[in-house]
Amino acid sequence: MTTFPGEPKRIAAFRMELAAAIPRFPNNGASLRALQQKPLGELLIDFFNWRIRYVGARPRAVVIDPLASASADRGAKQGIIVPFLEKVRRGDDLTPHLSLQPHTRGFSPNSGVRGAPVEQRGADKDFMLNTMGYHHLHPSVTIEPGGFATRTDEILLAHVTRDAFTVIGLFGHSVFETHPDGSLSPERARSWKAFDEHSTRGAPSGSVVVQGLIATSGHSLQVVFMAQRYARQIIGTDALIDTADFQRDFFEQAGFQPPSKPKFEWLKHHLDLGVLEQKSNAACIFSKGLN
């Protein structure tokens, strides 16, 4: 187990659990060691960057953005998205409709490295999600034997929160394409136009709107700041865990009698699927284990 000088055993074990959970590309010992050798704050950035690419399964209100409502081909597209949006309202698992990449490409040590193989550069980033805050989904409700939705040319862009699923619009698959000369495909240009209108709507004339800030690493700045905040909270709390005052207050607030020899550990399940839509704070990241 990789540890740092003075690092508490609980935090070291927690880092190893996080490192093992993130799918790696390439999936080999070197990529695992790259994760294991990261301090907690940096590792949480990679974990959150991977996990926000999923959508937690819970019922949501469906909102059709005015841009999508005004689309000239909305009527023709209704048959494609109506059954899918019913799944959203019911709270069905939308993982089959998401990109397949997060299943195997949660982290790449070569992401952003100049000279690295092309397929590994940016393999662990969803730049549309990081810059626009939009998930892209395949709205077909036909599920293939492999468990994923049939891939068609239609891509649905949506802004997803814990309670609402806002449809930005339907786009062709070329929404991801940039021409060799650096110009955007028509569908990609249309998505940026929709993003600009959606994110500036309601802003007073002449105001400054800050959009989609990302770090030089390609991570969302919201993810970076959240990871740093969580790391500080974990490290600060861990230093108090073995004190009598902390343990007394902890069990009093939990409402039950403390065991004679409590054993505490950090667990990742509060950071897992369902608590990170749109990079919101998880309610709690500390769990208890009792002897």
Side-chain angles (χ1 to χ4, degrees):
M1 182 168 66
T2 304
T3 60
F4 296 101
E7 181 181 41
K9 291 182 179 180
R10 277 185 297 259
I11 292 180
F14 181 53
R15 285 195 304 103
M16 295 302 102
E17 184 184 13
L18 291 179
I22 303 172
R24 305 177 310 279
F25 177 69
N27 184 14
N28 55 30
S31 61
L32 177 60
R33 286 190 295 274
L35 283 173
Q36 292 174 334
Q37 292 168 0
K38 291 191 176 197
L40 180 61
E42 292 183 18
L43 184 56
L44 283 171
I45 291 173
D46 291 310
F47 184 87
F48 291 159
N49 173 73
W50 164 56
R51 227 43 182 131
I52 62 169
R53 299 176 74 176
Y54 292 93
V55 174
R58 62 170 54 84
R60 289 179 173 86
V62 172
V63 180
I64 307 297
D65 186 89
L67 282 174
S69 296
S71 175
D73 62 354
R74 184 191 178 199
K77 301 292 188 181
Q78 285 289 89
I80 297 173
I81 67 170
V82 167
F84 170 75
L85 294 180
E86 284 303 311
K87 297 184 68 171
V88 174
R89 292 187 178 94
R90 289 195 304 265
D92 293 359
D93 183 9
L94 301 182
T95 301
H97 301 274
L98 296 168
S99 170
L100 301 180
Q101 288 198 0
H103 300 327
T104 57
R105 301 187 178 192
F107 167 76
S108 173
N110 293 321
S111 180
V113 176
R114 183 173 297 178
V118 173
E119 68 273 10
Q120 295 181 25
R121 279 182 261 156
D124 56 2
K125 309 288 192 312
D126 183 335
F127 286 106
M128 182 172 289
L129 179 61
N130 289 356
T131 57
M132 299 184 185
Y134 296 159
H135 280 88
H136 65 273
L137 302 101
H138 301 266
S140 171
V141 292
T142 302
I143 304 300
E144 301 289 342
F148 55 87
T150 298
R151 269 42 181 167
T152 62
D153 187 53
E154 288 80 18
I155 300 293
L156 186 149
L157 300 188
H159 182 264
V160 186
T161 65
R162 290 180 68 85
D163 303 313
F165 185 99
T166 301
V167 177
I168 303 301
L170 274 179
F171 297 80
H173 206 273
S174 61
V175 71
F176 303 113
E177 295 177 3
T178 300
H179 295 147
D181 63 0
S183 63
L184 305 181
S185 69
E187 286 295 86
R188 188 163 184 143
R190 187 165 71 92
S191 73
W192 275 106
K193 182 178 180 180
F195 169 67
D196 288 338
E197 183 167 333
H198 177 78
S199 57
T200 58
R201 188 178 299 139
S205 177
S207 61
V208 176
V209 178
V210 179
Q211 302 174 336
L213 294 177
I214 61 172
T216 54
S217 62
H219 297 102
S220 161
L221 277 184
Q222 288 178 292
V223 161
V224 173
F225 293 154
M226 184 174 73
Q228 293 171 343
R229 187 166 64 251
Y230 273 49
R232 287 193 298 268
Q233 180 180 344
I234 292 169
I235 293 169
T237 302
D238 195 84
L240 302 173
I241 285 177
D242 295 321
T243 65
D245 288 345
F246 178 92
Q247 294 184 11
R248 182 190 63 249
D249 293 344
F250 180 86
F251 288 106
E252 283 182 359
Q253 293 176 24
F256 57 86
Q257 187 69 26
S260 59
K261 294 182 178 180
K263 179 182 178 182
F264 294 87
E265 60 183 334
W266 294 99
L267 302 175
K268 76 173 184 64
H269 71 267
H270 284 299
L271 303 179
D272 268 334
L273 186 59
V275 296
L276 293 172
E277 288 87 356
Q278 291 308 304
K279 312 166 188 69
S280 62
N281 289 333
C284 176
I285 57 173
F286 178 74
S287 293
K288 56 187 179 299
L290 305 177
N291 280 342

